[in-house]
Amino acid sequence: MIAGELIVEAEAQKLHAKGEKLSVLMVEDSVADTELIRRELEHGGFDLSSEVVQTAEEFARQVHSNSFHVVLADFNLPQWNGMEALELLRREGLDIPLILVSGALPDITAVDCIKQGAADYVLKDRLARLPSAIRSALQEKQLREERKRAEHELAQKVEELARSNRELEHFAYVASHDLQEPLRMVATYTQLLAERYRGKLDAQAEKYIHYAVDGAKRMQTLIQDLLAFSRVGRQDTTFAPVDCNLILHQALESLQLAIRESGAVLTYARLPEVMANSSQLLQVFSNLLANAIKFRGSDKPNIHISAERQAGEFAFSVRDNGIGIASENAQDVFVIFRRLHTRTEYPGNGIGLAICRKIVEQHGGKIWVTSREGRGSTFTFTLPVTEPVPAAQEKFKQEYVQA
Amino acid sequence: MFKPEILLVDDNPADLDLTSEVLARNERPKRVSSVMNGVEALGFLRHEGKYADTPDPDLILLDLNLPRKDGRAVLAEVKADPLLRRTPIVVFSTSQAEFDIMQSYNLGANSYVTKPGDLPEFVQAVESIENFWFGCARLPRKEEQ
């Protein structure tokens, strides 16, 4: 019952909205012409309410005391002209479409009027065009208002974003200083305590001290990791052509020790050049390779890095023969602080892959893993192919030569 | 034998204690003074009021976030003062913010060391500072007072 009533009411409102009177302000000194205009509008399907003014003072009073949908102004009145009405509307910041309805007008004046902001002009001997001129003027006004609203919303969003960025900066500072300081006190003084009373405390007490120091230190690294994660994208994000082979070599260099200790065997195919932030890309490669070494099984790590072009992107893969990931956890590994193992099994905070995902997404790519538990994993990420621009250079050369 | 004068500027008593304790660990003879805010630090360096008889430090370990006058302002004032500017200042702060590091060097800090959150690392950092400034670097000659 209630739903039915609501529908009827909504329909009624719609009809009411449709049947709303068009409220017109006419700037006109000829009674005969006002009558002709009225008749033409009613004929054109408008339900009309109108006021007629002849002087600038009356016009000013009317536009302030009533809200009109449209102003129809004769160009030549004895005391003033339609352009002055336009000027007044602009000065007062009133967005009411004004259509000039006039006798023969020199072309130059008509164009000028439109330039000055008149919505349209209609000759008095072609009044049949007036209803459609009004409809499109109203429509334009509606579009104008929607655009203005959208621009306003956009400006607000930009301002909000700037504010939240400032807050984030501040948060990062608090995290890097104000949160670290008390933690440092806990860690160092507990260590100092242990040092001072070494040999005087029983094993239990030593263990408790170890727990306290370990907790404080873990908290320190968590804060560091959180900072590193929030820094991705806020710091230098300039993209430049990057040779991925060089990046790979840098990554391997930084992992030298782990590679040697684990006896890992690494093979790689030739990699392409991409548009990227080189230090961020290095981080992606380093994190993926470090994981491939860390999450190894009983065999020595065997890792292969390759890239292939698929349509508009390069797909880079890091394949290993490690412990793999159960399919139900394949998405989880990219979530910040999500870990699939205890710290005693595999150290780490669960930040590396979250950072990889953030970086790859910022480069316009995707990252995922295909794996079978116990049978190794393949991490794949994509980066868009960006063509070099010799064509533009060629064009420049040609123009230069011609000039 | 040269007995360096070190001035610690830090508002955290726990940090002052820790740094003094670590400085006292090695054999090198030295004198360590400390003040807890920026106004006191400048008073100390300019021998004002109760600091009339204090020695000129050979090295200043300066924390950044200090009450009354913060470390950045102290750094700027010292490095703008023709009598004080040659005294080496090591900024010794918890902050790892890139901004603080850049700003400190821009203001003329002689180095920037982040206070480590682990005792052995803290000991090592303080020892490194001492060894560099008093074992390796040549310090400016002090005018007789």
Side-chain angles (χ1 to χ4, degrees), chain A residues 173 184 189 191 196 217, chain B residues 14-15 21 96 100 118-119:
Chain A
Y173 187 79
R184 206 163 47 71
Y189 272 93
Q191 286 175 304
R196 219 19 99 64
K217 280 193 183 168
Chain B
D15 262 335
E21 140 111 30
Q96 314 176 12
D100 280 334
D118 171 82
L119 186 63

Side-chain angles (χ1 to χ4, degrees), chain A residues 295-309:
Chain A
F295 296 101
R296 59 177 176 266
S298 43
D299 293 341
K300 280 187 177 171
N302 204 315
I303 302 163
H304 184 69
I305 303 110
S306 61
E308 66 177 280
R309 190 173 168 158

Side-chain angles (χ1 to χ4, degrees), chain A residues 9-26:
Chain A
E9 202 176 299
E11 284 299 317
Q13 270 177 359
K14 229 191 277 176
L15 281 175
H16 178 72
K18 269 187 190 159
E20 192 188 1
K21 283 192 175 189
L22 179 75
S23 149
V24 179
L25 179 59
M26 285 192 245

